């Protein structure tokens, strides 16, 4: 076979390879162990010396030029593949993240954060308790015995213990109706004196514009040897000024009754309606925001605290109610509808912390 180096079909094969893979197949076909060029080189051994003298340099030159051509082509194909990937896997890292859809903080989370930062500043620490609570902590320990009428007022969700035989011997578990059980749990574990708040979910069977079956409360408890009602008043006034971001605020302490406090007071805040929205701080209306009082000695004793030595105040307020007041949200039910339009309207950007928080921690 005559081989012309300029125009040979082998070089043509190399030139036409479309991918690194193609090219590798051509290389095996020509230069592999059983490849065509290798066969040619092997055939030299079977030739007459004279013929071999002519063919040997030709075949070796052919082999060498093919090797070079393959190497060159491989580089070209590799570059092409990298360029292709760069085009396909393009990512614009200069895109402004603020233009993308980002999550927002729910007003309840935001307001809880605000309340915690104000009370931390006043020296309170945060405690928690379970949402599924025993009858004892939710009622009995708080001076509400089984036949007490207050049990009916709470619209309690009871948890079915299952089997009839179990039901008769076991006192029922409930979804806690308020955060007050955390008072007893905390004092039982840590004793007195103490100064805590306890935010969390509570449950009552109720549903209208201002009530949902699940809502949020924050409990406050301060126990010491000489803590009085006037300390309670000061703490609540300072809290409301900081929370509503007002220099002065009017609170009305209205005598009330809770089994777990004596005396008890409900607290209203001065406000007024302006064009269908509630303005806090001025006007002739009053809005109830919390229940409070001096912790009943029976509650201290139930939590194994000496009621002859210690006394103090407690309060419980609705977080959702405070959020509605501060940010002008008219319907509590929409808080828990998970409607993205509502969340976009009332939610808070995650990267901006509350300016209240900045003020207190700055
Ligand atoms: N636990 C009461 C409620 O849910 C509020 C409260 C707490 C009242 C602490 C007095 C003291 O209505």
């Amino acid at each position: 076979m005559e081989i012309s180096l300029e125009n040979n079909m082998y070089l043509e094969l190399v030139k036409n390879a479309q991918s690194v893979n193609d090219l590798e197949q051509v290389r095996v076909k020509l230069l592999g162990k059983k490849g065509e060029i290798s066969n040619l080189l092997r055939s030299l051994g079977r030739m007459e010396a004279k013929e071999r003298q002519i063919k040997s340099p030709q075949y070796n030159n052919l082999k060498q030029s093919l090797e070079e051509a393959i190497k060159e082509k491989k580089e070209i194909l590799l570059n092409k593949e990298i360029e292709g990937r760069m085009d396909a896997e393009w990512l614009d890292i200069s895109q402004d993240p603020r233009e993308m859809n980002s999550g927002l903080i729910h007003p309840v989370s935001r307001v809880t954060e605000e309340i915690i930062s104000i009370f931390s500043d006043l020296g309170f620490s945060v405690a928690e308790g379970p949402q599924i609570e025993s009858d004892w902590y939710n009622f009995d320990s708080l001076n509400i015995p089984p036949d007490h009428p207050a049990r009916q007022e709470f619209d309690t969700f009871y948890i079915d213990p299952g089997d009839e035989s179990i039901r008769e011997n076991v006192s029922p578990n409930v979804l806690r109706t308020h955060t007050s059980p955390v008072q007893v749990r905390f004092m039982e574990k840590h004793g007195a004196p103490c100064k805590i708040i306890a935010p969390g979910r509570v449950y009552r069977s109720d549903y209208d514009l201002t009530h949902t079956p699940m809502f949020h409360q924050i409990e406050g408890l301060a126990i010491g040897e000489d803590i009085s009602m006037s300390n309670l008043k000061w703490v609540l006034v300072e809290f409301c000024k900081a929370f509503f971001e007002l220099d002065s605020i009017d609170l009305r302490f209205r005598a009330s009754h809770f089994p777990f406090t004596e005396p008890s007071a409900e607290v209203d805040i001065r406000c007024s309606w302006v064009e269908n929205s509630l303005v806090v701080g001025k006007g002739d209306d009053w809005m109830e925001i919390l229940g409070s009082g001096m912790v009943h000695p029976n509650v201290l004793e139930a939590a194994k605290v000496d009621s002859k030595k210690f006394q103090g105040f407690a309060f419980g307020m609705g977080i959702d109610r405070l959020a509605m007041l501060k940010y002008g949200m008219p319907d509590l039910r929409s808080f828990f509808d998970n409607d993205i339009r509502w969340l976009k309207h009332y939610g808070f950007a995650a990267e901006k912390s509350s300016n209240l928080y900045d003020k207190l921690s700055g």
Side-chain angles (χ1 to χ4, degrees):
M1 178 169 81
E2 271 314 307
I3 293 171
S4 134
L5 285 185
E6 275 77 23
N7 190 17
N8 78 61
M9 56 175 188
Y10 296 127
L11 275 175
E12 211 56 28
L13 280 177
V14 173
K15 245 206 257 165
N16 289 341
Q18 294 298 310
S19 64
V20 177
N21 230 343
D22 264 8
L23 184 67
E24 177 60 11
Q25 278 176 24
V26 172
R27 191 193 65 79
V28 172
K29 187 174 148 69
L30 302 180
L31 301 171
K33 240 187 199 163
K34 292 179 182 156
E36 292 181 27
I37 306 298
S38 314
N39 284 341
L40 278 180
L41 286 166
R42 252 193 301 278
S43 70
L44 289 171
R46 298 189 295 272
M47 285 177 191
E48 298 277 336
K50 222 169 146 204
E51 195 189 357
R52 182 162 56 234
Q53 238 174 19
I54 304 167
K55 298 278 162 117
S56 175
Q58 280 184 356
Y59 289 177
N60 277 303
N61 282 346
L62 174 62
K63 185 184 176 207
Q64 206 181 337
S65 58
L66 278 174
E67 276 171 350
E68 276 165 21
I70 286 174
K71 200 173 151 214
E72 239 169 68
K73 182 73 182 179
K74 191 169 180 182
E75 209 155 298
I76 293 169
L77 287 173
L78 271 176
N79 279 339
K80 218 172 93 185
E81 275 180 20
I82 289 172
E83 271 166 31
R85 276 185 61 188
M86 300 256 269
D87 280 346
E89 296 171 15
W90 179 86
L91 176 70
D92 181 2
I93 57 165
S94 67
Q95 190 172 6
D96 185 346
R98 275 167 300 185
E99 285 183 10
M100 299 197 298
N101 265 340
S102 57
L104 295 167
I105 308 278
H106 193 284
V108 171
S109 307
R110 170 60 165 254
V111 164
T112 306
E113 190 188 286
E114 290 180 5
I115 298 173
I116 290 174
S117 64
I118 295 168
F119 279 107
S120 311
D121 210 43
L122 293 169
F124 287 74
S125 42
V126 177
E128 282 185 312
Q131 293 176 43
I132 296 175
E133 192 49 285
S134 71
D135 203 38
W136 159 258
Y137 282 111
N138 197 76
F139 295 123
D140 300 67
S141 71
L142 291 164
N143 201 29
I144 315 174
D147 52 358
H148 197 287
R151 287 218 179 188
Q152 266 70 57
E153 284 164 26
F154 272 120
D155 301 313
T156 312
F157 286 114
Y158 286 89
I159 293 186
D160 187 352
D163 203 283
E164 195 72 43
S165 57
I166 302 175
R167 202 170 303 167
E168 275 171 21
N169 303 317
V170 164
S171 68
N173 279 338
V174 299
L175 289 178
R176 67 175 178 193
T177 56
H178 51 178
T179 42
S180 298
V182 186
Q183 289 184 31
V184 180
R185 283 183 177 274
F186 187 87
M187 288 190 286
E188 210 171 45
K189 199 159 172 205
H190 302 280
C194 64
K195 237 164 104 184
I196 55 148
I197 49 167
R201 291 188 174 151
V202 298
Y203 302 84
R204 290 181 204 176
S205 180
D206 214 347
Y207 191 68
D208 61 31
L209 202 68
T210 53
H211 296 90
T212 49
M214 186 280 299
F215 59 105
H216 301 81
Q217 279 193 339
I218 198 153
E219 192 80 8
L221 174 73
I223 302 293
E225 287 185 32
D226 52 8
I227 291 183
S228 71
M229 209 66 185
S230 66
N231 298 124
L232 167 69
K233 204 170 166 191
W234 183 85
V235 164
L236 292 177
V237 169
E238 287 308 303
F239 164 74
C240 287
K241 283 199 296 196
F243 181 74
F244 290 106
E245 300 177 54
L246 294 169
D247 292 332
S248 72
I249 204 129
D250 250 350
L251 292 185
R252 185 169 75 176
F253 284 70
R254 207 164 17 81
S256 180
H257 174 264
F258 297 103
F260 31 93
T261 46
E262 180 59 36
S264 304
E266 281 177 298
V267 177
D268 306 330
I269 192 166
R270 188 186 286 283
C271 60
S272 57
W273 289 93
V274 179
E275 287 164 11
N276 271 341
S277 67
L278 203 57
V279 178
V280 173
K282 46 182 182 253
D284 297 321
D285 280 328
W286 295 93
M287 170 73 86
E288 182 202 321
I289 54 166
L290 61 93
S292 66
M294 295 300 288
V295 177
H296 197 290
N298 289 353
V299 176
L300 294 173
E301 294 297 336
K304 313 214 165 45
V305 166
D306 183 356
S307 65
K308 301 251 171 358
K309 188 168 175 211
F310 291 105
Q311 60 176 35
F313 65 76
F315 58 84
M317 52 193 172
I319 297 177
D320 321 77
R321 173 73 67 92
L322 287 174
M324 290 170 83
L325 276 175
K326 182 163 177 180
Y327 296 108
M329 294 171 279
D331 187 345
L332 179 62
R333 292 169 297 193
S334 54
F335 276 50
F336 310 116
D337 279 347
N338 279 335
D339 184 333
I340 195 74
R341 290 162 302 178
W342 187 90
L343 287 168
K344 274 198 172 137
H345 186 78
Y346 289 111
F348 294 87
E351 68 266 25
K352 284 196 205 125
S353 69
S354 117
N355 56 11
L356 238 184
Y357 184 80
D358 290 345
K359 246 191 249 169
L360 291 167
S361 56

